[in-house]
mmCIF file of all heavy atoms in Angstrom:
data_model
loop_
_atom_site.group_PDB
_atom_site.id
_atom_site.type_symbol
_atom_site.label_atom_id
_atom_site.label_comp_id
_atom_site.label_asym_id
_atom_site.label_seq_id
_atom_site.Cartn_x
_atom_site.Cartn_y
_atom_site.Cartn_z
ATOM 1 N N PRO A 23 -34.549 5.437 18.020
ATOM 2 C CA PRO A 23 -34.845 5.376 19.422
ATOM 3 C C PRO A 23 -35.114 3.969 19.929
ATOM 4 O O PRO A 23 -35.075 3.696 21.119
ATOM 5 C CB PRO A 23 -36.091 6.251 19.572
ATOM 6 C CG PRO A 23 -36.712 6.280 18.229
ATOM 7 C CD PRO A 23 -35.572 6.207 17.242
ATOM 8 N N GLN A 24 -35.344 3.008 18.989
ATOM 9 C CA GLN A 24 -35.607 1.646 19.390
ATOM 10 C C GLN A 24 -34.311 0.845 19.492
ATOM 11 O O GLN A 24 -34.155 -0.224 18.912
ATOM 12 C CB GLN A 24 -36.551 0.994 18.438
ATOM 13 C CG GLN A 24 -37.891 1.719 18.310
ATOM 14 C CD GLN A 24 -38.787 1.107 17.279
ATOM 15 O OE1 GLN A 24 -38.327 0.295 16.447
ATOM 16 N NE2 GLN A 24 -40.039 1.423 17.285
ATOM 17 N N SER A 25 -33.345 1.382 20.241
ATOM 18 C CA SER A 25 -32.054 0.723 20.352
ATOM 19 C C SER A 25 -32.117 -0.591 21.092
ATOM 20 O O SER A 25 -31.287 -1.471 20.917
ATOM 21 C CB SER A 25 -31.050 1.662 21.042
ATOM 22 O OG SER A 25 -31.531 2.017 22.309
ATOM 23 N N ALA A 26 -33.121 -0.769 21.985
ATOM 24 C CA ALA A 26 -33.269 -2.010 22.691
ATOM 25 C C ALA A 26 -33.519 -3.204 21.754
ATOM 26 O O ALA A 26 -32.947 -4.286 21.918
ATOM 27 C CB ALA A 26 -34.389 -1.917 23.715
ATOM 28 N N LYS A 27 -34.367 -2.943 20.758
ATOM 29 C CA LYS A 27 -34.633 -4.019 19.750
ATOM 30 C C LYS A 27 -33.403 -4.353 18.964
ATOM 31 O O LYS A 27 -33.167 -5.529 18.661
ATOM 32 C CB LYS A 27 -35.754 -3.564 18.813
ATOM 33 C CG LYS A 27 -37.123 -3.454 19.501
ATOM 34 C CD LYS A 27 -38.198 -3.117 18.503
ATOM 35 C CE LYS A 27 -39.554 -3.003 19.182
ATOM 36 N NZ LYS A 27 -40.634 -2.641 18.181
ATOM 37 N N ALA A 28 -32.595 -3.311 18.628
ATOM 38 C CA ALA A 28 -31.357 -3.561 17.890
ATOM 39 C C ALA A 28 -30.422 -4.398 18.758
ATOM 40 O O ALA A 28 -29.717 -5.277 18.263
ATOM 41 C CB ALA A 28 -30.712 -2.253 17.555
ATOM 42 N N ALA A 29 -30.352 -4.123 20.059
ATOM 43 C CA ALA A 29 -29.489 -4.862 20.958
ATOM 44 C C ALA A 29 -29.916 -6.331 21.007
ATOM 45 O O ALA A 29 -29.082 -7.259 21.032
ATOM 46 C CB ALA A 29 -29.516 -4.262 22.344
ATOM 47 N N GLU A 30 -31.244 -6.551 20.999
ATOM 48 C CA GLU A 30 -31.725 -7.927 21.016
ATOM 49 C C GLU A 30 -31.322 -8.693 19.752
ATOM 50 O O GLU A 30 -30.938 -9.873 19.829
ATOM 51 C CB GLU A 30 -33.253 -7.906 21.145
ATOM 52 C CG GLU A 30 -33.741 -7.462 22.524
ATOM 53 C CD GLU A 30 -35.275 -7.392 22.575
ATOM 54 O OE1 GLU A 30 -35.923 -7.825 21.586
ATOM 55 O OE2 GLU A 30 -35.814 -6.900 23.579
ATOM 56 N N LYS A 31 -31.400 -8.035 18.595
ATOM 57 C CA LYS A 31 -30.935 -8.653 17.363
ATOM 58 C C LYS A 31 -29.486 -9.013 17.455
ATOM 59 O O LYS A 31 -29.083 -10.097 17.019
ATOM 60 C CB LYS A 31 -31.176 -7.693 16.154
ATOM 61 C CG LYS A 31 -32.637 -7.441 15.828
ATOM 62 C CD LYS A 31 -32.739 -6.542 14.618
ATOM 63 C CE LYS A 31 -34.189 -6.253 14.258
ATOM 64 N NZ LYS A 31 -34.284 -5.319 13.068
ATOM 65 N N LEU A 32 -28.695 -8.124 17.958
ATOM 66 C CA LEU A 32 -27.284 -8.380 18.093
ATOM 67 C C LEU A 32 -27.014 -9.517 19.063
ATOM 68 O O LEU A 32 -26.100 -10.339 18.798
ATOM 69 C CB LEU A 32 -26.568 -7.105 18.557
ATOM 70 C CG LEU A 32 -25.111 -6.889 18.112
ATOM 71 C CD1 LEU A 32 -24.992 -7.031 16.629
ATOM 72 C CD2 LEU A 32 -24.644 -5.530 18.508
ATOM 73 N N ASP A 33 -27.764 -9.618 20.115
ATOM 74 C CA ASP A 33 -27.628 -10.711 21.063
ATOM 75 C C ASP A 33 -27.897 -12.024 20.391
ATOM 76 O O ASP A 33 -27.173 -13.016 20.550
ATOM 77 C CB ASP A 33 -28.578 -10.501 22.227
ATOM 78 C CG ASP A 33 -27.938 -9.726 23.367
ATOM 79 O OD1 ASP A 33 -26.700 -9.772 23.485
ATOM 80 O OD2 ASP A 33 -28.683 -9.129 24.166
ATOM 81 N N ARG A 34 -29.009 -12.102 19.662
ATOM 82 C CA ARG A 34 -29.372 -13.368 19.003
ATOM 83 C C ARG A 34 -28.289 -13.796 18.003
ATOM 84 O O ARG A 34 -27.954 -14.971 17.898
ATOM 85 C CB ARG A 34 -30.726 -13.199 18.316
ATOM 86 C CG ARG A 34 -31.894 -13.087 19.253
ATOM 87 C CD ARG A 34 -33.210 -13.352 18.530
ATOM 88 N NE ARG A 34 -33.455 -12.371 17.490
ATOM 89 C CZ ARG A 34 -34.142 -11.206 17.699
ATOM 90 N NH1 ARG A 34 -34.598 -10.967 18.944
ATOM 91 N NH2 ARG A 34 -34.324 -10.340 16.769
ATOM 92 N N ALA A 35 -27.766 -12.788 17.230
ATOM 93 C CA ALA A 35 -26.716 -13.131 16.295
ATOM 94 C C ALA A 35 -25.476 -13.633 17.001
ATOM 95 O O ALA A 35 -24.848 -14.616 16.553
ATOM 96 C CB ALA A 35 -26.378 -11.919 15.433
ATOM 97 N N ALA A 36 -25.116 -12.981 18.098
ATOM 98 C CA ALA A 36 -23.908 -13.400 18.852
ATOM 99 C C ALA A 36 -24.101 -14.825 19.397
ATOM 100 O O ALA A 36 -23.155 -15.634 19.307
ATOM 101 C CB ALA A 36 -23.626 -12.446 19.964
ATOM 102 N N ARG A 37 -25.268 -15.114 19.952
ATOM 103 C CA ARG A 37 -25.511 -16.464 20.510
ATOM 104 C C ARG A 37 -25.468 -17.536 19.404
ATOM 105 O O ARG A 37 -24.929 -18.616 19.597
ATOM 106 C CB ARG A 37 -26.845 -16.480 21.228
ATOM 107 C CG ARG A 37 -26.827 -15.744 22.574
ATOM 108 C CD ARG A 37 -28.022 -16.139 23.446
ATOM 109 N NE ARG A 37 -29.301 -15.812 22.757
ATOM 110 C CZ ARG A 37 -29.905 -14.654 22.946
ATOM 111 N NH1 ARG A 37 -29.412 -13.707 23.713
ATOM 112 N NH2 ARG A 37 -31.057 -14.417 22.294
ATOM 113 N N ARG A 38 -26.078 -17.213 18.237
ATOM 114 C CA ARG A 38 -26.154 -18.182 17.140
ATOM 115 C C ARG A 38 -24.754 -18.551 16.645
ATOM 116 O O ARG A 38 -24.436 -19.716 16.426
ATOM 117 C CB ARG A 38 -26.995 -17.610 16.024
ATOM 118 C CG ARG A 38 -27.245 -18.634 14.905
ATOM 119 C CD ARG A 38 -28.288 -18.143 13.912
ATOM 120 N NE ARG A 38 -27.876 -16.950 13.231
ATOM 121 C CZ ARG A 38 -28.384 -15.758 13.437
ATOM 122 N NH1 ARG A 38 -29.293 -15.564 14.365
ATOM 123 N NH2 ARG A 38 -27.986 -14.709 12.710
ATOM 124 N N ILE A 39 -23.912 -17.513 16.484
ATOM 125 C CA ILE A 39 -22.567 -17.804 15.960
ATOM 126 C C ILE A 39 -21.671 -18.342 17.031
ATOM 127 O O ILE A 39 -20.768 -19.174 16.765
ATOM 128 C CB ILE A 39 -21.969 -16.493 15.367
ATOM 129 C CG1 ILE A 39 -22.882 -15.970 14.282
ATOM 130 C CG2 ILE A 39 -20.578 -16.747 14.822
ATOM 131 C CD1 ILE A 39 -23.145 -16.989 13.166
ATOM 132 N N ALA A 40 -21.890 -17.945 18.308
ATOM 133 C CA ALA A 40 -21.057 -18.457 19.363
ATOM 134 C C ALA A 40 -21.190 -19.934 19.539
ATOM 135 O O ALA A 40 -20.236 -20.611 20.020
ATOM 136 C CB ALA A 40 -21.397 -17.762 20.695
ATOM 137 N N GLU A 41 -22.297 -20.513 19.121
ATOM 138 C CA GLU A 41 -22.468 -21.978 19.204
ATOM 139 C C GLU A 41 -21.455 -22.704 18.377
ATOM 140 O O GLU A 41 -21.101 -23.862 18.615
ATOM 141 C CB GLU A 41 -23.905 -22.345 18.733
ATOM 142 C CG GLU A 41 -25.009 -21.791 19.687
ATOM 143 C CD GLU A 41 -26.360 -22.071 19.123
ATOM 144 O OE1 GLU A 41 -26.435 -22.636 18.004
ATOM 145 O OE2 GLU A 41 -27.373 -21.718 19.784
ATOM 146 N N HIS A 42 -20.961 -22.041 17.322
ATOM 147 C CA HIS A 42 -20.011 -22.697 16.425
ATOM 148 C C HIS A 42 -18.594 -22.212 16.634
ATOM 149 O O HIS A 42 -17.678 -22.528 15.832
ATOM 150 C CB HIS A 42 -20.395 -22.402 14.948
ATOM 151 C CG HIS A 42 -21.788 -22.814 14.604
ATOM 152 N ND1 HIS A 42 -22.162 -24.094 14.390
ATOM 153 C CD2 HIS A 42 -22.932 -22.077 14.499
ATOM 154 C CE1 HIS A 42 -23.477 -24.152 14.117
ATOM 155 N NE2 HIS A 42 -23.940 -22.931 14.166
ATOM 156 N N SER A 43 -18.347 -21.457 17.725
ATOM 157 C CA SER A 43 -17.032 -20.816 17.847
ATOM 158 C C SER A 43 -15.955 -21.884 18.107
ATOM 159 O O SER A 43 -14.771 -21.594 17.940
ATOM 160 C CB SER A 43 -17.044 -19.802 19.004
ATOM 161 O OG SER A 43 -17.411 -20.448 20.216
ATOM 162 N N GLY A 44 -16.340 -23.045 18.588
ATOM 163 C CA GLY A 44 -15.343 -24.070 18.781
ATOM 164 C C GLY A 44 -14.736 -24.599 17.509
ATOM 165 O O GLY A 44 -13.723 -25.279 17.518
ATOM 166 N N ASP A 45 -15.353 -24.323 16.370
ATOM 167 C CA ASP A 45 -14.842 -24.806 15.118
ATOM 168 C C ASP A 45 -14.694 -23.614 14.157
ATOM 169 O O ASP A 45 -15.209 -23.612 13.048
ATOM 170 C CB ASP A 45 -15.777 -25.869 14.522
ATOM 171 C CG ASP A 45 -15.213 -26.533 13.305
ATOM 172 O OD1 ASP A 45 -13.951 -26.603 13.206
ATOM 173 O OD2 ASP A 45 -15.966 -27.031 12.461
ATOM 174 N N ALA A 46 -14.032 -22.565 14.634
ATOM 175 C CA ALA A 46 -13.954 -21.341 13.901
ATOM 176 C C ALA A 46 -13.173 -21.474 12.603
ATOM 177 O O ALA A 46 -12.135 -22.108 12.601
ATOM 178 C CB ALA A 46 -13.291 -20.250 14.785
ATOM 179 N N LYS A 47 -13.709 -20.895 11.551
ATOM 180 C CA LYS A 47 -13.049 -20.917 10.269
ATOM 181 C C LYS A 47 -13.026 -19.498 9.739
ATOM 182 O O LYS A 47 -14.078 -18.855 9.601
ATOM 183 C CB LYS A 47 -13.784 -21.823 9.283
ATOM 184 C CG LYS A 47 -13.720 -23.317 9.655
ATOM 185 C CD LYS A 47 -12.337 -23.878 9.432
ATOM 186 C CE LYS A 47 -12.352 -25.399 9.714
ATOM 187 N NZ LYS A 47 -10.977 -25.940 9.596
ATOM 188 N N ILE A 48 -11.844 -18.996 9.389
ATOM 189 C CA ILE A 48 -11.721 -17.658 8.826
ATOM 190 C C ILE A 48 -12.052 -17.709 7.328
ATOM 191 O O ILE A 48 -12.739 -16.856 6.767
ATOM 192 C CB ILE A 48 -10.332 -17.090 9.068
ATOM 193 C CG1 ILE A 48 -10.107 -16.899 10.587
ATOM 194 C CG2 ILE A 48 -10.131 -15.798 8.317
ATOM 195 C CD1 ILE A 48 -8.745 -16.405 10.934
ATOM 196 N N LEU A 49 -11.530 -18.766 6.672
ATOM 197 C CA LEU A 49 -11.772 -18.937 5.227
ATOM 198 C C LEU A 49 -12.244 -20.333 4.986
ATOM 199 O O LEU A 49 -11.876 -21.285 5.697
ATOM 200 C CB LEU A 49 -10.473 -18.644 4.414
ATOM 201 C CG LEU A 49 -9.993 -17.201 4.316
ATOM 202 C CD1 LEU A 49 -8.665 -17.161 3.603
ATOM 203 C CD2 LEU A 49 -11.021 -16.318 3.626
ATOM 204 N N ASP A 50 -13.047 -20.506 3.945
ATOM 205 C CA ASP A 50 -13.449 -21.838 3.540
ATOM 206 C C ASP A 50 -12.215 -22.629 3.107
ATOM 207 O O ASP A 50 -11.274 -22.083 2.550
ATOM 208 C CB ASP A 50 -14.457 -21.716 2.373
ATOM 209 C CG ASP A 50 -15.018 -23.087 2.014
ATOM 210 O OD1 ASP A 50 -16.006 -23.505 2.651
ATOM 211 O OD2 ASP A 50 -14.496 -23.673 1.059
ATOM 212 N N GLU A 51 -12.246 -23.926 3.369
ATOM 213 C CA GLU A 51 -11.055 -24.785 3.077
ATOM 214 C C GLU A 51 -10.748 -24.749 1.600
ATOM 215 O O GLU A 51 -9.558 -24.764 1.180
ATOM 216 C CB GLU A 51 -11.333 -26.223 3.513
ATOM 217 C CG GLU A 51 -11.422 -26.381 5.050
ATOM 218 C CD GLU A 51 -11.596 -27.809 5.453
ATOM 219 O OE1 GLU A 51 -11.681 -28.673 4.537
ATOM 220 O OE2 GLU A 51 -11.695 -28.072 6.670
ATOM 221 N N LYS A 52 -11.723 -24.687 0.742
ATOM 222 C CA LYS A 52 -11.501 -24.678 -0.698
ATOM 223 C C LYS A 52 -10.759 -23.407 -1.107
ATOM 224 O O LYS A 52 -9.876 -23.408 -2.001
ATOM 225 C CB LYS A 52 -12.797 -24.774 -1.493
ATOM 226 C CG LYS A 52 -13.489 -26.109 -1.312
ATOM 227 C CD LYS A 52 -14.769 -26.189 -2.139
ATOM 228 C CE LYS A 52 -15.446 -27.548 -1.977
ATOM 229 N NZ LYS A 52 -16.718 -27.642 -2.781
ATOM 230 N N ILE A 53 -11.098 -22.295 -0.433
ATOM 231 C CA ILE A 53 -10.392 -21.013 -0.705
ATOM 232 C C ILE A 53 -8.994 -21.061 -0.138
ATOM 233 O O ILE A 53 -8.045 -20.617 -0.791
ATOM 234 C CB ILE A 53 -11.197 -19.816 -0.155
ATOM 235 C CG1 ILE A 53 -12.587 -19.769 -0.803
ATOM 236 C CG2 ILE A 53 -10.419 -18.528 -0.340
ATOM 237 C CD1 ILE A 53 -13.442 -18.665 -0.278
ATOM 238 N N SER A 54 -8.862 -21.581 1.061
ATOM 239 C CA SER A 54 -7.552 -21.657 1.693
ATOM 240 C C SER A 54 -6.533 -22.443 0.916
ATOM 241 O O SER A 54 -5.368 -22.153 0.866
ATOM 242 C CB SER A 54 -7.693 -22.227 3.140
ATOM 243 O OG SER A 54 -8.502 -21.422 3.936
ATOM 244 N N GLU A 55 -7.019 -23.551 0.278
ATOM 245 C CA GLU A 55 -6.137 -24.392 -0.514
ATOM 246 C C GLU A 55 -5.540 -23.704 -1.704
ATOM 247 O O GLU A 55 -4.503 -24.110 -2.193
ATOM 248 C CB GLU A 55 -6.916 -25.645 -0.967
ATOM 249 C CG GLU A 55 -7.332 -26.594 0.181
ATOM 250 C CD GLU A 55 -8.189 -27.694 -0.293
ATOM 251 O OE1 GLU A 55 -8.559 -27.709 -1.494
ATOM 252 O OE2 GLU A 55 -8.530 -28.567 0.510
ATOM 253 N N GLN A 56 -6.188 -22.602 -2.153
ATOM 254 C CA GLN A 56 -5.688 -21.874 -3.326
ATOM 255 C C GLN A 56 -4.632 -20.808 -2.928
ATOM 256 O O GLN A 56 -3.968 -20.233 -3.782
ATOM 257 C CB GLN A 56 -6.822 -21.164 -4.042
ATOM 258 C CG GLN A 56 -7.977 -22.086 -4.420
ATOM 259 C CD GLN A 56 -7.552 -23.221 -5.363
ATOM 260 O OE1 GLN A 56 -6.728 -22.965 -6.263
ATOM 261 N NE2 GLN A 56 -8.073 -24.419 -5.124
ATOM 262 N N LEU A 57 -4.416 -20.598 -1.636
ATOM 263 C CA LEU A 57 -3.465 -19.594 -1.176
ATOM 264 C C LEU A 57 -2.055 -20.141 -1.147
ATOM 265 O O LEU A 57 -1.841 -21.352 -1.094
ATOM 266 C CB LEU A 57 -3.887 -19.122 0.239
ATOM 267 C CG LEU A 57 -5.262 -18.505 0.418
ATOM 268 C CD1 LEU A 57 -5.554 -18.221 1.851
ATOM 269 C CD2 LEU A 57 -5.375 -17.258 -0.441
ATOM 270 N N PRO A 58 -1.055 -19.236 -1.154
ATOM 271 C CA PRO A 58 0.319 -19.720 -1.015
ATOM 272 C C PRO A 58 0.516 -20.392 0.334
ATOM 273 O O PRO A 58 -0.183 -20.095 1.287
ATOM 274 C CB PRO A 58 1.150 -18.372 -1.102
ATOM 275 C CG PRO A 58 0.213 -17.412 -1.782
ATOM 276 C CD PRO A 58 -1.160 -17.794 -1.410
ATOM 277 N N PRO A 59 1.494 -21.311 0.415
ATOM 278 C CA PRO A 59 1.674 -22.058 1.670
ATOM 279 C C PRO A 59 1.919 -21.168 2.874
ATOM 280 O O PRO A 59 1.383 -21.493 4.007
ATOM 281 C CB PRO A 59 2.938 -22.897 1.349
ATOM 282 C CG PRO A 59 2.953 -23.010 -0.109
ATOM 283 C CD PRO A 59 2.392 -21.778 -0.640
ATOM 284 N N ALA A 60 2.641 -20.094 2.746
ATOM 285 C CA ALA A 60 2.918 -19.219 3.905
ATOM 286 C C ALA A 60 1.588 -18.601 4.428
ATOM 287 O O ALA A 60 1.380 -18.517 5.633
ATOM 288 C CB ALA A 60 3.881 -18.151 3.528
ATOM 289 N N LEU A 61 0.743 -18.200 3.500
ATOM 290 C CA LEU A 61 -0.506 -17.577 3.904
ATOM 291 C C LEU A 61 -1.473 -18.648 4.490
ATOM 292 O O LEU A 61 -2.246 -18.386 5.405
ATOM 293 C CB LEU A 61 -1.187 -16.885 2.701
ATOM 294 C CG LEU A 61 -2.411 -15.977 3.022
ATOM 295 C CD1 LEU A 61 -2.073 -15.005 4.123
ATOM 296 C CD2 LEU A 61 -2.879 -15.305 1.779
#
């Protein structure tokens, strides 16, 4: 029943990660370098 607190947690997480969205990385560069060129 305390869904409001859960929403606040989600808001904080979204704001924290959104600060870095300008430099989005799906995979770490070291991992990406091990993938085939096409991937």
Side-chain angles (χ1 to χ4, degrees):
Q24 301 176 345
S25 57
K27 293 184 179 180
E30 290 177 7
K31 291 182 181 180
L32 209 52
D33 268 336
R34 289 196 297 269
R37 286 196 299 269
R38 185 169 65 252
I39 301 304
E41 294 174 358
H42 304 284
S43 60
D45 189 27
K47 293 290 184 182
I48 295 177
L49 289 175
D50 186 86
E51 292 183 0
K52 294 181 179 179
I53 298 178
S54 298
E55 292 174 356
Q56 306 299 321
L57 300 176
L61 190 53

